[in-house]
Amino acid sequence: MADLKLMSVRKSYGQVDVIHGVDLEVNHGEFVVFVGPSGCGKSTLLRMIAGLEDITGGDIIIDGTYMNDVDATDRGLAMVFQSYALYPHMTVRKNLSFGLEIAKVPRDEIERRVAEAARILKIEDYLDRHPAKLSGGQRQRVAIGRAIVREPKIFLFDEPLSNLDAELRVATRVEIAKLHERLGATMIYVTHDQVEAMTMADKIVVLRNGIVEQVGAPLDLYNHPANLFVAGFIGSPKMNLLDGHVADVRPGEVDVEIAGNIRVSVPVAHRLAKGDAVTLGIRPEHFLRAGADAANLKLTVDFVEGLGGETLVYGALPGASQPVIVKLDGQHRIENGTSLSLAMQPDQMHLFDSNGRALQRASATAAAA
Amino acid sequence: MATITSTSSRWDAFARQWRRGRSGYMFLIPWLIGFFALTLGPALASLYLAFTKYDILTPPVFTGLDNFRYMFLQDYRFRQALQVTFTYVLWSVPLKLGLALLIAIALDKGTRGVDLYRAIFYLPSLIGGSVAIAVLWRQLFDRDGLTDQLLQLLGWPPGTSILNNPDHALKTLIVLSVWQFGAPMVIFLAGLRQIPQDLHEAARMDGAKTMQRFFRITLPMLAPVIFFNLIMQTIDAFKAFTQAFVVSAGTGGPIDSTLFYTLYLYQEGFAFFRMGYASALAWFLLIIIAAFTALTFLSAKYWVHYDDTR
Amino acid sequence: MTNLTRRSFNRYLLASAAGAAAFGGLTVPAFADSRLRFMWWGNPTRDERTNAVVDLFEGNNSGIVVDTEALASNDYWPKIATQAAGGNMPDVMQMDYRFLFEYARRGQIVPLDDYVGNQIDLSNFDPGFVDSGRVDGQLFGIPFGANSPSVIYNMAKFAEYGVTLPDHSWTWDEFWDFARQIKAVAPEGQWAVADKAAWEPAFDIFLRQQGKQLYTEQGELGYTAADAAEYFEMWRQAREEGLVPPADITAQDSDGLDTRPISRRRVAIDFAHSNHLGGLQGQNPDELGITLFPHREGGVPGQYMKCATLLCITANSDAKDDAAKLVNYLLTDPEANKILRMERGVPGDNAIAATLLEDPDDIERKTIEYFAIVQDNVSPMPPPPPAGAGEVEVMMVRLYGELIFDRLTPEEAGERLVNDAQAILDRA
């Protein structure tokens, strides 16, 4: 168990910068998830922490020790690879014990740790098999087991679930979360799947193009996305983003006009001027179905997905170019092509300035959230 | 037809099978003709000749086990040939494979100009088997040759002709063979490229240093390739002929120090016209090679792991 | 190496064209009445001259086509043996005295007595010389030319060293004394005499000088281990004194014209068959001379003349009469021999030899002068060697190698030579 500090960590290949100066602190026992679209640099950042990639600039400090020039072999970390990278010529037992043998751990201690890991991961029955004889899920467990036995300072996971089928992915996700709880170890986990990030992380680091967009607890990111990118990336279905402009300014509140003629009042702490271009964000789950009188929106319905517990409605506001997704609890009978009357929860609306930065909500509502 | 007997239906099945495979068999015909006429036929003929006395000019005379009795009990040149050949195989194959692997690893690491270097390193294998190179080799190791001059620079007495010294002649042929490491090198290179980078990284994360990774990851992962190269090179080494023939002008000299088994076989058959005995020698060589190959195959299960996870 | 000449290649083309025409149903006049194959072993000079003569022969005998094939002697015998097994030997072949009896007794070559006086004219031949082609009373091969084992020396080196070649009546002691003179002045890396102890004719002459020989008429060994040991001891002393080159140089000598110590300019004196004088001269910028083997003090003459090669007609020839014509042409035609000259030794046809004597070149003059003195110091021609003798010769080279590389003493080598030779003869 350890803490980790990244200070202005950079990586470039020749002229191309892939990581632009990342600062990050990871505390003892934290489960940190790096999330972002492919090519965002999350795997590279992880491999830099592991020592598998050189860093071009900045410092990596683990437990107060500078690791910049320490080889991967000596960092005392463990990594679970996307491909699992099990040694095909070794039995499961050998795969688990390899690192311990290299470290010259006494034989009985190796056996104890392997047995323990096997028990935790329920792979006792195939310790003497070769990886080729295992299913994908079993290999995944062995790969995790290989990390566990080393009792590393930090566990690194590089998209470990992406080769599993959907059902197994969910199950394993839960198991890794449990494992974290049980071991209390520091873990850094890379994924492109924001659901994994939301469900597993103590702290999410959202990356885009080698830049950290936002760091925070999952719900912080959900409730207070720092910018349009995080707003769009976190949450499923995605937050609806509608371009508009400030139509009227009152103390602690502005009126935003969207879709040509719809006015919405948003509580906001920032000073805005009339006519400023803004983007209004509202998550699909924050629409309410309203009677014709209370409704300020009329959605033209294109398509409806009834999922049983909830209903997704795809449509558009007349006069707006961006589509809108609405998530309603329970079951609804809505015909395609009809018009749906909706209201937005004012305290759940997000406003972004023309640079995509989130504008802080007025304090009263922020406190309520 | 009212009734169909089982035989005729089996025949029908065969005919159907034949019709389906016909074009395939047609394509195989040239090879089949070659195999039966040029390989199997002569091989069987030589098996018979191995039990005869046959001087080519007169018909073979069946002599039972005489050839083999002479071979094992009296023929000291046969023993010399075996010793030379085994020495050659046991030195040249491991050295050649070792060098091939070493160069392959060096080339695998490098990124720039690898293709060029690979071609350069492969060159000796292209030309190495040729008579011209054997002649060149002869010049190189002769008295006043390049090696002689180099050795003189190192303080050896002048006039050291390595190739004409019975104590060293075989060594030069081993060196000549090792020098032709290109073919196994290319195969090793392909084998190295097949090892997923992940495994090396996983081993690094497991704390394994370069040498530990080489011995515990690279080598075992290369085992199938090593196994293939080992078999091919061993068989090749047992069959070595051209270089020894050219370097020693066909004599196996000086004083039989380069008397390769195949060279001795050739002398018996084509210089002394003992085709029967030469056939017996040939069949015994086949048995030796088969035994070596079988041993290698049997040992394989202890050290060759086929990675079929991918 | 197979030497498919341009001439014979053209012939193949024509023949296949004729074949195609015949298959096409056209009536064409027979392209050739008979088609002969003629094979020999030799060297580029011999090949060139022989092909030219064959061309002449074809010009004089329209209707006879001769395909020629020339090989190195190492390749020649395996090929001939293989063709014998396959029943497709050439019509006319060059024969080595060594193998004459084997091929004759196995019926691979035919008696030529019926052709003599008809197609083949031997009226100008020495009857005794012709007899060396007889096997069991019948004439199976006609000697192509005579040669004799000889001492070849480098005249320029002698001049350079300021030494004078003793008279050809020299004894072995005088021979080695002369070698010591050379050794005294020769620079580093040069020696007096080539170590040709393992050259069978040298050993044979050494034996014959004491009334012994390699093989008896009955095909048995004609010497003892002690005889061989004495011979080896003589050479061992020469090597110890540095008169002959060390083992590794001797080991390089594979008896080819270019690998001999004299051609590599390591020694001033070498040993070779007299008909190789021209070939060796071709390898050497210095002028070479030829003289007799040293004699044994109180011994008998050991030197002998023998037919260098013979011409034979094979049993599977379809056109033996035409083959005989070719043989006759090669042996007795003045025009042909103006081209062939003495490359295969001194011609057996005395009229031809006389013609060549009229305007000899340097080599021929030396050879003829040499033969003149050999005549007076000659012993009878050795009997044909028994089967297996060829292998004994190879074995002796190997054995001698063990001797010079100090694996064996001369006594041990003598024992081994007799034992191994006997084993080979028994097995043959």
Side-chain angles (χ1 to χ4, degrees), chain C residues 52-64 325 329 333-336:
Chain C
V53 169
V54 167
D55 280 340
L56 272 184
F57 174 74
E58 287 174 331
N60 297 344
N61 296 273
S62 59
I64 304 181
K325 274 191 204 166
Y329 188 78
D333 187 87
E335 293 304 312

Side-chain angles (χ1 to χ4, degrees), chain B residues 55 76 143 164 255 274, chain C residues 106 248 252 391 402 420:
Chain B
D55 67 359
Y76 66 86
R143 184 180 274 252
N164 293 304
I255 54 172
R274 278 195 283 265
Chain C
R106 284 166 177 157
D248 66 309
Q252 283 173 42
E391 192 179 345
E402 295 192 43
D420 287 7

Side-chain angles (χ1 to χ4, degrees), chain A residues 47 50-52 71-74 77 81 83 85-90 98-99 101-102 130 132 146 150, chain B residues 198-210 212-213 216-217 220-221 305-310:
Chain A
R47 291 167 57 81
L52 296 174
D71 191 80
T73 52
D74 297 323
L77 313 181
F81 290 81
S83 65
L86 300 181
Y87 310 124
H89 55 290
M90 297 181 193
F98 179 74
E101 286 171 20
I102 294 287
H130 280 91
R146 192 167 61 180
R150 304 241 358 256
Chain B
D198 279 1
L199 290 188
H200 289 292
E201 292 181 345
R204 277 175 76 187
M205 295 310 293
D206 268 343
K209 307 281 188 199
T210 309
Q212 289 169 321
R213 290 202 297 275
R216 311 229 13 201
I217 306 294
M221 289 300 290
H305 170 81
Y306 288 96
D307 171 25
D308 38 12
T309 56
R310 279 170 291 132

Side-chain angles (χ1 to χ4, degrees), chain C residues 16-85:
Chain C
S16 40
F23 280 116
L26 295 168
T27 338
V28 289
F31 178 75
D33 294 337
S34 69
R35 179 176 202 91
L36 299 177
R37 278 171 56 225
F38 175 27
M39 273 174 76
W40 66 88
W41 75 90
N43 54 62
T45 314
R46 178 179 296 179
D47 303 344
E48 195 180 302
R49 293 184 186 182
T50 310
N51 275 322
V53 169
V54 167
D55 280 340
L56 272 184
F57 174 74
E58 287 174 331
N60 297 344
N61 296 273
S62 59
I64 304 181
V65 170
V66 184
D67 297 326
T68 63
E69 199 176 335
L71 292 98
S73 64
N74 281 346
D75 304 322
Y76 182 80
W77 292 107
K79 185 145 190 178
I80 287 287
T82 313
Q83 293 188 350

